[in-house]
Short mmCIF file of all heavy atoms in Angstrom, two decimals:
data_model
loop_
_atom_site.label_atom_id
_atom_site.label_comp_id
_atom_site.label_asym_id
_atom_site.label_seq_id
_atom_site.Cartn_x
_atom_site.Cartn_y
_atom_site.Cartn_z
N VAL A 181 -28.08 10.81 33.69
CA VAL A 181 -29.11 10.20 32.84
C VAL A 181 -29.26 11.14 31.64
O VAL A 181 -29.58 12.39 31.75
CB VAL A 181 -30.47 10.11 33.55
CG1 VAL A 181 -31.56 9.50 32.68
CG2 VAL A 181 -30.31 9.31 34.77
N LEU A 182 -29.10 10.58 30.37
CA LEU A 182 -29.28 11.25 29.13
C LEU A 182 -30.75 10.99 28.70
O LEU A 182 -31.04 9.78 28.43
CB LEU A 182 -28.30 10.99 28.11
CG LEU A 182 -26.87 11.09 28.47
CD1 LEU A 182 -25.93 10.53 27.31
CD2 LEU A 182 -26.47 12.46 28.91
N ARG A 183 -31.64 11.96 28.54
CA ARG A 183 -33.05 11.79 28.10
C ARG A 183 -33.19 12.28 26.66
O ARG A 183 -32.71 13.41 26.39
CB ARG A 183 -33.95 12.37 29.04
CG ARG A 183 -33.88 11.66 30.44
CD ARG A 183 -34.97 12.28 31.40
NE ARG A 183 -34.75 11.76 32.77
CZ ARG A 183 -35.11 10.56 33.17
NH1 ARG A 183 -35.65 9.68 32.30
NH2 ARG A 183 -34.82 10.05 34.42
N ASN A 184 -34.10 11.63 25.91
CA ASN A 184 -34.24 12.00 24.51
C ASN A 184 -32.91 11.81 23.75
O ASN A 184 -32.56 12.60 22.82
CB ASN A 184 -34.76 13.44 24.37
CG ASN A 184 -35.51 13.68 23.04
OD1 ASN A 184 -35.79 12.65 22.29
ND2 ASN A 184 -35.63 14.92 22.64
N ALA A 185 -32.18 10.79 24.23
CA ALA A 185 -30.81 10.52 23.61
C ALA A 185 -31.06 9.92 22.16
O ALA A 185 -32.07 9.34 21.82
CB ALA A 185 -30.15 9.47 24.51
N ALA A 186 -29.95 10.12 21.39
CA ALA A 186 -30.00 9.57 20.04
C ALA A 186 -29.89 7.99 20.16
O ALA A 186 -29.31 7.38 21.16
CB ALA A 186 -28.86 10.00 19.15
N ARG A 187 -30.44 7.22 19.21
CA ARG A 187 -30.57 5.73 19.36
C ARG A 187 -29.84 5.04 18.36
O ARG A 187 -29.96 3.81 18.21
CB ARG A 187 -32.03 5.31 19.31
CG ARG A 187 -32.90 6.03 20.55
CD ARG A 187 -34.38 6.02 20.30
NE ARG A 187 -34.83 4.62 20.03
CZ ARG A 187 -36.02 4.32 19.70
NH1 ARG A 187 -36.89 5.19 19.41
NH2 ARG A 187 -36.43 3.13 19.56
N GLU A 188 -28.98 5.72 17.53
CA GLU A 188 -28.30 5.11 16.39
C GLU A 188 -27.43 3.97 16.84
O GLU A 188 -26.88 3.99 18.01
CB GLU A 188 -27.43 6.27 15.79
CG GLU A 188 -28.10 7.00 14.65
CD GLU A 188 -29.13 8.01 15.27
OE1 GLU A 188 -29.30 8.01 16.50
OE2 GLU A 188 -29.80 8.70 14.43
N PRO A 189 -27.28 2.98 15.94
CA PRO A 189 -26.29 1.85 16.27
C PRO A 189 -24.87 2.31 16.70
O PRO A 189 -24.19 1.64 17.47
CB PRO A 189 -26.27 1.05 14.94
CG PRO A 189 -27.55 1.41 14.24
CD PRO A 189 -27.76 2.84 14.55
N GLU A 190 -24.46 3.45 16.14
CA GLU A 190 -23.14 4.02 16.56
C GLU A 190 -23.10 4.35 17.97
O GLU A 190 -22.09 4.22 18.56
CB GLU A 190 -22.80 5.21 15.67
CG GLU A 190 -22.63 4.92 14.15
CD GLU A 190 -23.95 4.61 13.44
OE1 GLU A 190 -24.94 5.23 13.72
OE2 GLU A 190 -23.91 3.78 12.47
N ILE A 191 -24.20 4.86 18.59
CA ILE A 191 -24.29 5.08 19.99
C ILE A 191 -24.07 3.81 20.76
O ILE A 191 -23.31 3.69 21.77
CB ILE A 191 -25.62 5.67 20.35
CG1 ILE A 191 -25.95 6.88 19.46
CG2 ILE A 191 -25.78 6.03 21.80
CD1 ILE A 191 -25.38 8.16 19.82
N VAL A 192 -24.75 2.67 20.27
CA VAL A 192 -24.57 1.44 21.07
C VAL A 192 -23.18 0.90 20.88
O VAL A 192 -22.64 0.47 21.87
CB VAL A 192 -25.63 0.45 20.35
CG1 VAL A 192 -25.50 -0.98 21.03
CG2 VAL A 192 -27.08 0.93 20.58
N CYS A 193 -22.61 1.04 19.75
CA CYS A 193 -21.14 0.63 19.54
C CYS A 193 -20.32 1.31 20.56
O CYS A 193 -19.43 0.70 21.14
CB CYS A 193 -20.84 0.94 18.03
SG CYS A 193 -19.09 0.38 17.66
N LEU A 194 -20.44 2.68 20.58
CA LEU A 194 -19.57 3.46 21.55
C LEU A 194 -19.87 3.06 23.04
O LEU A 194 -18.84 2.81 23.82
CB LEU A 194 -19.89 4.94 21.46
CG LEU A 194 -19.12 5.89 22.40
CD1 LEU A 194 -17.69 5.78 22.25
CD2 LEU A 194 -19.63 7.30 22.25
N ALA A 195 -21.15 2.85 23.35
CA ALA A 195 -21.43 2.39 24.79
C ALA A 195 -20.81 1.05 25.10
O ALA A 195 -20.26 0.78 26.12
CB ALA A 195 -22.95 2.40 24.98
#
Side-chain angles (χ1 to χ4, degrees):
V181 181
L182 305 180
R183 296 186 187 281
N184 202 16
R187 300 166 54 189
E188 275 70 3
E190 293 77 29
I191 306 279
V192 177
C193 180
L194 177 62

